[in-house]
Amino acid sequence: MNRLLPKFICLIILFIAVPAFCQHQPVPEAQKGFNEFETFQGSLNADSKMFKLDSSAGYDFNKHFGVFVGMPVYFANTQTVTTQVNGNTTTTTQDVTSNGLGNAYFGLAMRAPNKALDYSATLTLAAPTGSTSKGFSSGRANADWTNRFEHSFNRLTPFFEGGLSNAVPDSQLFTRPFTSLGLVTHFEEGGEFELVKHFAAGGSGYEIVPFGNQKIFSKLVGKGQSGKGKGKNSFDLAAETSGTGLTRENGFNSWIAFDPTPVWRVELGFSRSATFDLNSLAFNLRMNLGKMARSRRVS
């Protein structure tokens, strides 16, 4: 908890400071319209291969407020290891793939662009539409409130992100091999530096801090199975696990980003979960279909 206290103090100060900044700034020019995003991301490590296709659409009332809906689709692949001892030791390895819908979600977005400090927040509510037996849902509704602060110093843009949720969210570079249920706070702090036009490099550290009892639904071990994963974490050993502190995690991300056009963004990176001892190669492809449609109408 001692490590969390400075973060909470900074978060409170920023919440107080942002409205004060905004009072002295001119109101940005209103921008209305529909938007649509397609995101495909993946995390590949010795334990598993996790992929997620996330489709979302929304409407921005202006530069400050908008709404959105979306649906993720998961693709999970792992190698199960079976050992039989009947006088002889026999070990077999088999690839297991599990695909399916995740939880459909609806959200509200708020943005306060400012010369001193940019602030944005999202409140996301998710319905339990995914399969619990495949680990794509906890069977309960989820809520997440995330706040982000950032400021650009020429080519460098540091940021701080903090949120409160009843499920551990996927990050931009790490599709987690489980779904959780239980109150957590999540933090990420880092920055991105523009190397040359269209290319940038970034890095961040992250922390997941759970409160109370947690439950994990593995995307790698099907319901009715046990001890099938290659690793030694709870989501490798059982389909469902309950306990305290199961989702506590810390690690870091690093990435290189390429923005060939305002429509496309490609990220290639490395994600390290120190808690789960996972080193993942990761990618994130993002396509802004709404911006593409608007540019075609203008032309």
Side-chain angles (χ1 to χ4, degrees):
M1 291 300 293
N2 291 335
R3 294 178 60 192
L4 288 179
L5 184 59
K7 291 185 172 65
F8 278 120
I9 293 174
C10 290
L11 197 60
I12 292 171
I13 293 173
L14 288 171
F15 272 127
I16 296 172
V18 167
F21 288 141
C22 294
Q23 288 174 1
H24 301 285
Q25 296 297 324
V27 177
E29 182 182 354
Q31 288 185 347
K32 295 183 179 181
F34 289 95
N35 57 69
E36 182 180 355
F37 295 94
E38 292 290 339
T39 304
F40 183 57
Q41 67 181 82
S43 304
L44 296 81
N45 52 57
D47 200 31
S48 64
K49 302 179 183 68
M50 295 296 308
F51 304 95
K52 182 173 74 171
L53 176 64
D54 196 351
S55 302
S56 65
Y59 184 82
D60 288 328
F61 300 103
N62 50 50
K63 279 188 176 182
H64 295 291
F65 298 100
V67 295
F68 58 88
V69 295
M71 171 70 79
V73 181
Y74 290 99
F75 307 87
N77 176 272
T78 188
Q79 289 185 332
T80 62
V81 178
T82 304
T83 301
Q84 297 177 343
V85 180
N86 291 319
N88 297 316
T89 301
T90 303
T91 301
T92 60
T93 302
Q94 180 182 5
D95 281 336
V96 176
T97 301
S98 180
N99 309 323
L101 298 175
N103 288 342
Y105 59 87
F106 165 80
L108 305 174
M110 192 276 279
R111 298 171 291 272
N114 185 271
K115 291 181 180 180
L117 183 69
D118 286 331
Y119 167 70
S120 61
T122 56
L123 176 62
T124 307
L125 306 175
T129 56
S131 170
T132 304
S133 61
K134 292 182 178 181
F136 299 147
S137 174
S138 65
R140 303 283 185 87
N142 298 130
D144 179 274
W145 179 40
T146 297
N147 302 272
R148 182 182 177 94
F149 304 88
E150 66 180 34
H151 177 75
S152 293
F153 300 91
N154 197 4
R155 293 187 176 186
L156 177 64
T157 305
F159 67 86
F160 172 82
E161 193 171 279
L164 182 67
S165 179
N166 67 339
V168 179
D170 291 331
S171 72
Q172 194 164 302
L173 283 177
F174 188 35
T175 304
R176 287 182 165 78
F178 61 86
T179 298
S180 73
L181 179 64
L183 185 64
V184 301
T185 57
H186 52 90
F187 302 97
E188 185 176 5
E189 50 282 321
E192 186 170 278
F193 183 80
E194 183 183 9
L195 301 172
V196 294
K197 189 176 181 180
H198 302 306
F199 285 93
S204 66
Y206 69 86
E207 302 85 31
I208 307 294
V209 183
F211 297 93
N213 192 60
Q214 303 286 310
K215 193 168 186 178
I216 280 181
F217 301 81
S218 174
K219 296 174 183 174
L220 309 181
V221 183
K223 196 168 185 179
Q225 299 177 341
S226 63
K228 298 293 184 180
K230 291 180 65 178
K232 297 180 180 179
N233 295 300
S234 59
F235 49 81
D236 295 302
L237 304 177
E240 297 181 13
T241 310
S242 297
T244 58
L246 291 176
T247 56
R248 185 178 301 276
E249 183 186 359
N250 64 81
F252 66 87
N253 303 309
S254 59
W255 65 88
I256 296 177
F258 174 48
D259 298 90
T261 71
V263 173
W264 284 94
R265 179 176 172 90
V266 182
E267 294 179 355
L268 299 176
F270 173 81
S271 181
R272 164 67 178 172
S273 173
T275 306
F276 298 138
D277 193 23
L278 288 178
N279 299 315
S280 303
L281 295 177
F283 67 87
N284 188 302
L285 309 176
R286 189 167 183 260
M287 186 178 184
N288 190 333
L289 296 177
K291 183 168 289 186
M292 176 187 290
R294 288 193 294 271
S295 63
R296 287 183 176 179
R297 285 197 299 266
V298 172
S299 60

